[in-house]
Amino acid sequence: MDYRAVPREPWVRPSEIADSLRCAAIAGLLLDTRAGRADLVAAGHAYHGVGLPFGDFLLVAGTGSGEVSARAAGRIEAMLSGEEPEEDAAQLRYLLLAAAPDAPALGPAWERAARRYGPLLAGSASQPFATWWQMGSLLSRLEPGDEETRSELAGTIVRVAEAHGQQLEFAMTDRYHWSTGHSRVDLVDLDLAGTVAISVRTMAARGIRPWHLGEEFTGLRPAARVSIVIGLQLGGDDPDSGDRFPGDPHGPAPSRYEEGAFRYGVG
């Protein structure tokens, strides 16, 4: 019998590649920041190639690209003016977060998105769109000496981290799937880690006092700390080794597993 392959849309294969790179990035970021970042950047280009703003978000988180951030801000302005169709809620939040470092003047965009999509749940931590909108808005308004905005952003990050940490703890009760790496919950919440990385880069660029893991994020359970720590490392602030990881994201870096440097496991 002759079995013929079912025709697939041209975007399917690139999307599968992007998803594979995303999974590789999650695994890599736990052990080697540079290797994980390289996969994250490759995934970002792949998602952008199929027209998903998630790709822009990953690129801004992984590289701090001002060009990509400005492009995201321009797309939002085009949507507001009616020149482009508006993205759905899931992708719009990535566009807002990617634009945040370059979007102090996009107040109307934040407000419009928050009103329309506020109660919808989004992200692997299943948080309301309004929570992600709030993080983007706070990111865009960060200024030196503005401790109130800085503190509010930290509190929002903590709430999302706690929600993701709780999901990880629930997943660990299913010992079979957890031990074989088939849990439905990503060990690293890239939405949260990417947002933390963007905040690290934004604060450094604007001369704002950086995050301190033991100050703003103390008291969190180990499972809730994972994505925050990854975000700090991805943004260039590694609380263990002090490495800044400048330049080429594909450059060599020692294995965190071999060093025993990554001490934020989840049990």
Side-chain angles (χ1 to χ4, degrees), residues 25-48:
I26 289 174
L29 285 168
L30 290 166
L31 301 175
D32 185 323
T33 302
R34 270 207 181 116
R37 179 187 281 121
D39 286 331
L40 193 76
V41 170
H45 285 299
Y47 282 116
H48 175 74

Side-chain angles (χ1 to χ4, degrees), residues 77-202:
E77 290 179 332
M79 289 175 191
L80 288 176
S81 65
E83 297 176 12
E84 287 191 22
E86 190 168 294
E87 292 282 353
D88 62 30
Q91 292 300 316
L92 181 59
R93 70 192 177 92
Y94 291 127
L95 205 59
L96 293 172
L97 289 167
D102 198 60
L106 289 180
W110 308 123
E111 296 295 338
R112 177 180 175 182
R115 287 196 301 269
R116 179 173 297 184
Y117 299 115
L120 296 179
L121 298 182
S124 59
S126 299
Q127 294 300 290
F129 180 91
T131 299
W132 298 104
W133 164 81
Q134 182 182 27
M135 284 201 282
S137 179
L138 291 168
L139 271 171
S140 72
R141 293 189 280 113
L142 280 173
E143 294 291 343
D146 186 354
E147 290 297 317
E148 182 177 353
T149 298
R150 185 179 180 281
S151 177
E152 190 175 354
L153 178 58
T156 308
I157 289 172
V158 165
R159 288 199 300 275
V160 177
E162 288 175 336
H164 180 246
Q166 187 175 52
Q167 290 188 1
L168 286 177
E169 290 174 351
F170 287 155
M172 282 188 281
T173 62
D174 181 355
R175 295 187 178 182
Y176 173 76
H177 288 97
W178 181 261
S179 64
T180 57
H182 290 86
S183 171
R184 293 184 179 181
V185 182
D186 288 335
L187 185 54
V188 178
D189 181 348
L190 285 183
D191 296 350
L192 177 58
T195 300
V196 171
I198 291 172
S199 74
V200 170
R201 297 176 184 280
T202 301

